[in-house]
Amino acid sequence: MEKSTSKFIRSFMDYVKARDPFQKEFHQAVHEVVESIAPFLLNNPNYNQSKILERIIEPERIVQFRVPWTNDKGVVSVNRGFRVEMNSALGPYKGGLRFHPTVNLSILKFLAFEQVFKNSLTSLPLGGGKGGSDFDPKNKSDNEVMRFCQSFMTELQRHIGPNTDIPAGDIGVGGREIGFLFGQYKRIRNEFTGVLTGKGLEWGGSLIRPEATGYGAVYFAEEMMKRKGESFDGKVVCISGSGNVAQFAAEKVIQFGGKVVTMSDSSGFIHDPDGIDREKLDYVMELKNISRGRIKEYAERYGCIYKVGERPWSVKCDVALPCATENEINQEEATMLLKNGCEVISEGANMPSTPEAVHEFHKGRILYAPGKAANAGGVAVSGLEMSQNSMRINWTREEVDGRLHTIMKSIHEMCVSYGKHNNGWVNYVDGANVAGFVKVAKAMMAQGYV
Ligand code: NDP
Ligand code: 2IT
C-alpha cells in the first residue's frame, strides 16, 4: 500500500476513534471499508471535498428507548431498545433487529454500517439500518417474549413505516418475534402494511425469506467455486451456528451434494463425521425452532462428538460457512482452517472473521467472501417481500428463489469486476466494499449535503 494511502486511512481512523472511543466493533467495520475505498477516494478528490466519508459513517438518526416488561411472575424488567437509521440515499432504512444481551450501540452501528453497503450490492432500492435490544429471548416463555415485543414496538412504531424504515429479523428475532412485533404495530397504527419483513406466509410474508440468507451464502460460494471449475459435490463443509442462517445453509449444501459435518451454538459444537443428512437436519430444525433446545442434544441423540465451549474451526473441511456471530474466527482458527486445507469461506454471519483472520485468508489466496456480499440474500428477499406487499401479490417459490439466485450471481460478478487483481485472484472484500460504496456515494453526492 502506498504511503499516502496508509496515512489517509490512519488519520481518518483517528478521527472515527476520537469521536466514539469505545465502539470497537464499529471501528473494525469502518476500517475494513476505508481500507478498500481509500485509493478510489484519493483518485476522486471531489468526494473528499464533500466529506463523503465523514457523512457516511454518521448515522442519519439513532433512537434509543426504554423497554419495560413484566415476566410471568409479575416481576418488572427494563431493557434498552435501539434503532440506528444509518443511510437512506438508496431507499428507506432497511435491516434487521437483534435481541441479544450483547447488543449495544457499537454492535448496532457496525451492523447498520455493513447493511448500507450490503443493501447497495443487492441493486434493490434499500437504505440501511439496524436495531434491537439487549433483551435475551433465551429461557423466556412465549408470553414473556410477546410482552417484551409489544413493549418494544409500542415505542418503535412511531419511528418506522413501510416507506420509512422496515425492520426484519436477526439474532434472537425469528418468525415468532416478527409476528408479535407486527401484531402490535397493526394494533397501534390501524394499518396492515409491509412494515416488517420475514412475516408469516399467511399474513404478507414471502416464500423463501426464511431460507434466503443461508441459501444465498451457499449460492455465493458456488459462484466462487465455479470460477475455479469446482462445485459443492463431495465437499466437506463446516458450519457454525444452528439458527436461521446455519439451518438453511446446511439445507442447500446437502442439496448441492456437500457433506455438512459441524453445527454449533454458544455452548459448543457437534462434529458428525458421517454428515448431517436431511433427517438429522430436520431434527436440528425441530430442536432449535420448536423445542428451543441446545445443540448438545444432537450429539446425545446421534452419538457423535460434542465439544463444550469450542468453535468448529479445528475440524478438517474444504468449505467453511460461519453462520453464528461476529468475530467468531480469530487468527489462530483461520490458520488452522488453512492448514487443514480449507479453500472456501462464505460468511453467512456479519463480520464473523477478525481482521487478522481475514489477513490470513488473503495471504493464503483462498476464496473468501465477506458477509456483506455473501449474506446479502436475506435482505434481498426482504426487498422482494416489500415489492410483493406493495403490489399485493405473492410470487411462487420458484420465482423468488430464481430472483435470489440471480441477485447472488450479480453480486458475485460485481465483486469480481471491482476486486480482481492482474493475476486473476479476486479480493472479494475490496470488490464488495468498492461496488457497494460507489453507488451510495454517488446518490449522496446527487442529493446534496444531507
Ligand atoms: P439466530 O438467532 O437464528 O441463530 C444464531 C446462532 O448463532 C445460534 O446458533 C446461536 O447460538 C449462535 N450464536 C449467537 N451468538 C453467539 C455467540 N456470541 N457465540 C456463539 N454462538 C452464537 O440468528 P441468525 O441465524 O438469523 O443470525 C446468524 C448470523 O447471521 C448473525 O451474524 C446475523 O447478523 C447474520 N445474518 C442474519 C440474517 C437473517 O436473515 N437472519 C441475514 C444476514 C446476516 P445460541 O442459540 O446459543 O445463542
Ligand atoms: O443482516 C442482515 O442482512 C439481516 N439481518 C437481514 C435484514 C433484512 O432486512 O432482511
Short mmCIF file of all heavy atoms in Angstrom, two decimals, residues 225-259:
data_model
loop_
_atom_site.label_atom_id
_atom_site.label_comp_id
_atom_site.label_asym_id
_atom_site.label_seq_id
_atom_site.Cartn_x
_atom_site.Cartn_y
_atom_site.Cartn_z
N MET A 225 -16.65 -20.93 -6.48
CA MET A 225 -16.04 -22.22 -6.85
C MET A 225 -16.11 -22.45 -8.35
O MET A 225 -15.19 -22.98 -8.95
CB MET A 225 -16.72 -23.36 -6.09
CG MET A 225 -16.38 -23.37 -4.62
SD MET A 225 -16.81 -24.96 -3.88
CE MET A 225 -18.31 -24.58 -3.11
N LYS A 226 -17.24 -22.03 -8.95
CA LYS A 226 -17.42 -22.22 -10.40
C LYS A 226 -16.29 -21.57 -11.19
O LYS A 226 -15.85 -22.12 -12.20
CB LYS A 226 -18.75 -21.59 -10.83
CG LYS A 226 -19.86 -22.60 -11.04
CD LYS A 226 -20.89 -22.05 -12.01
CE LYS A 226 -22.23 -21.90 -11.32
NZ LYS A 226 -23.15 -20.99 -11.96
N ARG A 227 -15.84 -20.40 -10.73
CA ARG A 227 -14.74 -19.71 -11.43
C ARG A 227 -13.49 -20.57 -11.46
O ARG A 227 -12.60 -20.35 -12.27
CB ARG A 227 -14.39 -18.38 -10.71
CG ARG A 227 -15.19 -17.20 -11.15
CD ARG A 227 -14.59 -15.91 -10.61
NE ARG A 227 -13.58 -15.34 -11.47
CZ ARG A 227 -12.32 -15.12 -11.11
NH1 ARG A 227 -11.91 -15.43 -9.91
NH2 ARG A 227 -11.48 -14.57 -11.95
N LYS A 228 -13.42 -21.53 -10.52
CA LYS A 228 -12.24 -22.41 -10.46
C LYS A 228 -12.56 -23.80 -10.97
O LYS A 228 -11.81 -24.75 -10.73
CB LYS A 228 -11.75 -22.49 -9.02
CG LYS A 228 -11.30 -21.18 -8.45
CD LYS A 228 -10.21 -21.41 -7.44
CE LYS A 228 -9.15 -20.34 -7.54
NZ LYS A 228 -8.01 -20.62 -6.70
N GLY A 229 -13.74 -23.93 -11.58
CA GLY A 229 -14.15 -25.24 -12.10
C GLY A 229 -14.51 -26.24 -11.01
O GLY A 229 -14.43 -27.45 -11.20
N GLU A 230 -14.90 -25.71 -9.83
CA GLU A 230 -15.22 -26.60 -8.71
C GLU A 230 -16.71 -26.52 -8.37
O GLU A 230 -17.41 -25.61 -8.83
CB GLU A 230 -14.44 -26.16 -7.48
CG GLU A 230 -12.95 -26.16 -7.65
CD GLU A 230 -12.29 -27.33 -6.96
OE1 GLU A 230 -12.98 -28.06 -6.25
OE2 GLU A 230 -11.07 -27.48 -7.14
N SER A 231 -17.16 -27.45 -7.52
CA SER A 231 -18.55 -27.39 -7.06
C SER A 231 -18.63 -27.96 -5.63
O SER A 231 -17.63 -28.42 -5.08
CB SER A 231 -19.45 -28.21 -7.98
OG SER A 231 -19.29 -29.58 -7.67
N PHE A 232 -19.83 -27.93 -5.05
CA PHE A 232 -20.02 -28.45 -3.69
C PHE A 232 -19.99 -29.97 -3.64
O PHE A 232 -19.86 -30.56 -2.57
CB PHE A 232 -21.36 -27.96 -3.12
CG PHE A 232 -21.24 -26.70 -2.30
CD1 PHE A 232 -21.58 -25.47 -2.84
CD2 PHE A 232 -20.77 -26.75 -0.99
CE1 PHE A 232 -21.46 -24.31 -2.09
CE2 PHE A 232 -20.65 -25.59 -0.23
CZ PHE A 232 -21.01 -24.37 -0.78
N ASP A 233 -20.17 -30.59 -4.79
CA ASP A 233 -20.30 -32.04 -4.82
C ASP A 233 -19.13 -32.73 -4.12
O ASP A 233 -17.98 -32.57 -4.52
CB ASP A 233 -20.41 -32.49 -6.29
CG ASP A 233 -21.03 -33.88 -6.37
OD1 ASP A 233 -21.77 -34.25 -5.43
OD2 ASP A 233 -20.74 -34.59 -7.36
N GLY A 234 -19.43 -33.47 -3.06
CA GLY A 234 -18.41 -34.22 -2.34
C GLY A 234 -17.58 -33.40 -1.36
O GLY A 234 -16.69 -33.95 -0.69
N LYS A 235 -17.84 -32.11 -1.26
CA LYS A 235 -17.03 -31.27 -0.36
C LYS A 235 -17.48 -31.44 1.10
O LYS A 235 -18.66 -31.59 1.40
CB LYS A 235 -17.17 -29.79 -0.74
CG LYS A 235 -16.60 -29.44 -2.11
CD LYS A 235 -15.11 -29.22 -2.04
CE LYS A 235 -14.53 -28.64 -3.32
NZ LYS A 235 -14.82 -29.34 -4.58
N VAL A 236 -16.49 -31.38 1.99
CA VAL A 236 -16.78 -31.44 3.43
C VAL A 236 -16.93 -30.00 3.92
O VAL A 236 -16.07 -29.15 3.65
CB VAL A 236 -15.64 -32.16 4.18
CG1 VAL A 236 -15.86 -32.09 5.69
CG2 VAL A 236 -15.56 -33.61 3.71
N VAL A 237 -18.02 -29.74 4.63
CA VAL A 237 -18.36 -28.36 4.98
C VAL A 237 -18.55 -28.21 6.49
O VAL A 237 -19.30 -28.97 7.12
CB VAL A 237 -19.67 -27.94 4.26
CG1 VAL A 237 -20.02 -26.49 4.58
CG2 VAL A 237 -19.56 -28.15 2.75
N CYS A 238 -17.86 -27.23 7.06
CA CYS A 238 -18.06 -26.89 8.48
C CYS A 238 -18.98 -25.68 8.56
O CYS A 238 -18.70 -24.65 7.94
CB CYS A 238 -16.73 -26.50 9.13
SG CYS A 238 -15.81 -27.92 9.67
N ILE A 239 -20.03 -25.80 9.35
CA ILE A 239 -20.94 -24.67 9.57
C ILE A 239 -20.92 -24.35 11.06
O ILE A 239 -20.91 -25.26 11.89
CB ILE A 239 -22.38 -25.03 9.10
CG1 ILE A 239 -22.39 -25.22 7.57
CG2 ILE A 239 -23.38 -23.96 9.51
CD1 ILE A 239 -23.76 -25.53 6.98
N SER A 240 -20.90 -23.06 11.39
CA SER A 240 -21.09 -22.67 12.79
C SER A 240 -22.48 -22.09 12.93
O SER A 240 -23.07 -21.61 11.96
CB SER A 240 -20.06 -21.63 13.21
OG SER A 240 -20.27 -20.42 12.50
N GLY A 241 -23.01 -22.14 14.16
CA GLY A 241 -24.37 -21.70 14.41
C GLY A 241 -25.34 -22.84 14.12
O GLY A 241 -24.97 -23.86 13.49
N SER A 242 -26.56 -22.68 14.61
CA SER A 242 -27.62 -23.66 14.31
C SER A 242 -28.95 -22.93 14.27
O SER A 242 -30.00 -23.50 14.49
CB SER A 242 -27.64 -24.76 15.38
OG SER A 242 -27.61 -24.18 16.68
N GLY A 243 -28.88 -21.62 14.00
CA GLY A 243 -30.09 -20.80 13.91
C GLY A 243 -30.57 -20.71 12.47
O GLY A 243 -30.28 -21.58 11.64
N ASN A 244 -31.27 -19.64 12.19
CA ASN A 244 -31.89 -19.49 10.87
C ASN A 244 -30.88 -19.64 9.73
O ASN A 244 -31.10 -20.42 8.79
CB ASN A 244 -32.59 -18.11 10.80
CG ASN A 244 -33.07 -17.80 9.40
OD1 ASN A 244 -32.36 -17.14 8.64
ND2 ASN A 244 -34.22 -18.31 9.04
N VAL A 245 -29.81 -18.89 9.76
CA VAL A 245 -28.88 -18.87 8.64
C VAL A 245 -28.18 -20.23 8.50
O VAL A 245 -28.08 -20.78 7.39
CB VAL A 245 -27.86 -17.72 8.80
CG1 VAL A 245 -26.89 -17.69 7.64
CG2 VAL A 245 -28.57 -16.38 8.94
N ALA A 246 -27.71 -20.76 9.62
CA ALA A 246 -26.98 -22.04 9.60
C ALA A 246 -27.87 -23.18 9.06
O ALA A 246 -27.42 -23.99 8.25
CB ALA A 246 -26.50 -22.37 11.01
N GLN A 247 -29.11 -23.21 9.51
CA GLN A 247 -30.00 -24.31 9.11
C GLN A 247 -30.21 -24.35 7.60
O GLN A 247 -30.14 -25.42 6.98
CB GLN A 247 -31.37 -24.15 9.78
CG GLN A 247 -31.37 -24.36 11.28
CD GLN A 247 -32.69 -23.94 11.92
OE1 GLN A 247 -33.71 -23.81 11.26
NE2 GLN A 247 -32.66 -23.74 13.23
N PHE A 248 -30.44 -23.18 7.00
CA PHE A 248 -30.73 -23.20 5.56
C PHE A 248 -29.46 -23.23 4.71
O PHE A 248 -29.51 -23.65 3.56
CB PHE A 248 -31.70 -22.08 5.20
CG PHE A 248 -33.08 -22.36 5.72
CD1 PHE A 248 -33.58 -21.72 6.84
CD2 PHE A 248 -33.87 -23.34 5.12
CE1 PHE A 248 -34.84 -22.01 7.35
CE2 PHE A 248 -35.13 -23.63 5.61
CZ PHE A 248 -35.63 -22.97 6.73
N ALA A 249 -28.34 -22.81 5.29
CA ALA A 249 -27.07 -23.03 4.59
C ALA A 249 -26.84 -24.53 4.51
O ALA A 249 -26.50 -25.08 3.45
CB ALA A 249 -25.94 -22.33 5.33
N ALA A 250 -27.08 -25.22 5.63
CA ALA A 250 -26.89 -26.67 5.66
C ALA A 250 -27.82 -27.34 4.64
O ALA A 250 -27.41 -28.23 3.89
CB ALA A 250 -27.16 -27.21 7.07
N GLU A 251 -29.07 -26.89 4.61
CA GLU A 251 -30.04 -27.50 3.68
C GLU A 251 -29.56 -27.41 2.23
O GLU A 251 -29.60 -28.37 1.48
CB GLU A 251 -31.40 -26.79 3.83
CG GLU A 251 -32.48 -27.33 2.91
CD GLU A 251 -33.87 -26.83 3.29
OE1 GLU A 251 -34.37 -27.23 4.36
OE2 GLU A 251 -34.45 -26.03 2.53
N LYS A 252 -29.06 -26.22 1.85
CA LYS A 252 -28.62 -26.04 0.46
C LYS A 252 -27.35 -26.83 0.17
O LYS A 252 -27.20 -27.41 -0.91
CB LYS A 252 -28.45 -24.54 0.18
CG LYS A 252 -28.25 -24.15 -1.26
CD LYS A 252 -29.23 -24.74 -2.25
CE LYS A 252 -30.57 -24.05 -2.30
NZ LYS A 252 -31.51 -24.64 -3.32
N VAL A 253 -26.43 -26.88 1.14
CA VAL A 253 -25.20 -27.67 0.92
C VAL A 253 -25.58 -29.13 0.67
O VAL A 253 -25.05 -29.77 -0.25
CB VAL A 253 -24.24 -27.56 2.14
CG1 VAL A 253 -23.10 -28.58 2.02
CG2 VAL A 253 -23.68 -26.15 2.28
N ILE A 254 -26.51 -29.65 1.47
CA ILE A 254 -26.93 -31.05 1.30
C ILE A 254 -27.53 -31.23 -0.11
O ILE A 254 -27.18 -32.17 -0.82
CB ILE A 254 -27.95 -31.46 2.40
CG1 ILE A 254 -27.29 -31.39 3.79
CG2 ILE A 254 -28.50 -32.87 2.13
CD1 ILE A 254 -28.27 -31.53 4.96
N GLN A 255 -28.38 -30.28 -0.51
CA GLN A 255 -28.98 -30.37 -1.86
C GLN A 255 -27.92 -30.34 -2.95
O GLN A 255 -28.08 -30.96 -3.99
CB GLN A 255 -29.93 -29.19 -2.10
CG GLN A 255 -31.29 -29.35 -1.45
CD GLN A 255 -32.13 -28.06 -1.57
OE1 GLN A 255 -31.87 -27.18 -2.41
NE2 GLN A 255 -33.13 -27.94 -0.71
N PHE A 256 -26.83 -29.61 -2.71
CA PHE A 256 -25.76 -29.50 -3.71
C PHE A 256 -24.75 -30.65 -3.62
O PHE A 256 -23.72 -30.63 -4.29
CB PHE A 256 -25.02 -28.16 -3.54
CG PHE A 256 -25.72 -26.98 -4.17
CD1 PHE A 256 -25.21 -25.69 -4.03
CD2 PHE A 256 -26.88 -27.14 -4.92
CE1 PHE A 256 -25.83 -24.59 -4.61
CE2 PHE A 256 -27.52 -26.04 -5.51
CZ PHE A 256 -26.99 -24.77 -5.35
N GLY A 257 -25.01 -31.62 -2.75
CA GLY A 257 -24.13 -32.80 -2.70
C GLY A 257 -22.94 -32.67 -1.79
O GLY A 257 -22.01 -33.49 -1.83
N GLY A 258 -22.94 -31.64 -0.93
CA GLY A 258 -21.84 -31.50 0.03
C GLY A 258 -22.16 -32.24 1.32
O GLY A 258 -23.29 -32.69 1.53
N LYS A 259 -21.15 -32.38 2.17
CA LYS A 259 -21.35 -33.07 3.45
C LYS A 259 -21.09 -32.11 4.60
O LYS A 259 -19.95 -31.68 4.81
CB LYS A 259 -20.39 -34.25 3.51
CG LYS A 259 -20.52 -35.08 4.78
CD LYS A 259 -20.04 -36.50 4.53
CE LYS A 259 -18.82 -36.79 5.34
NZ LYS A 259 -18.36 -38.17 5.28
#
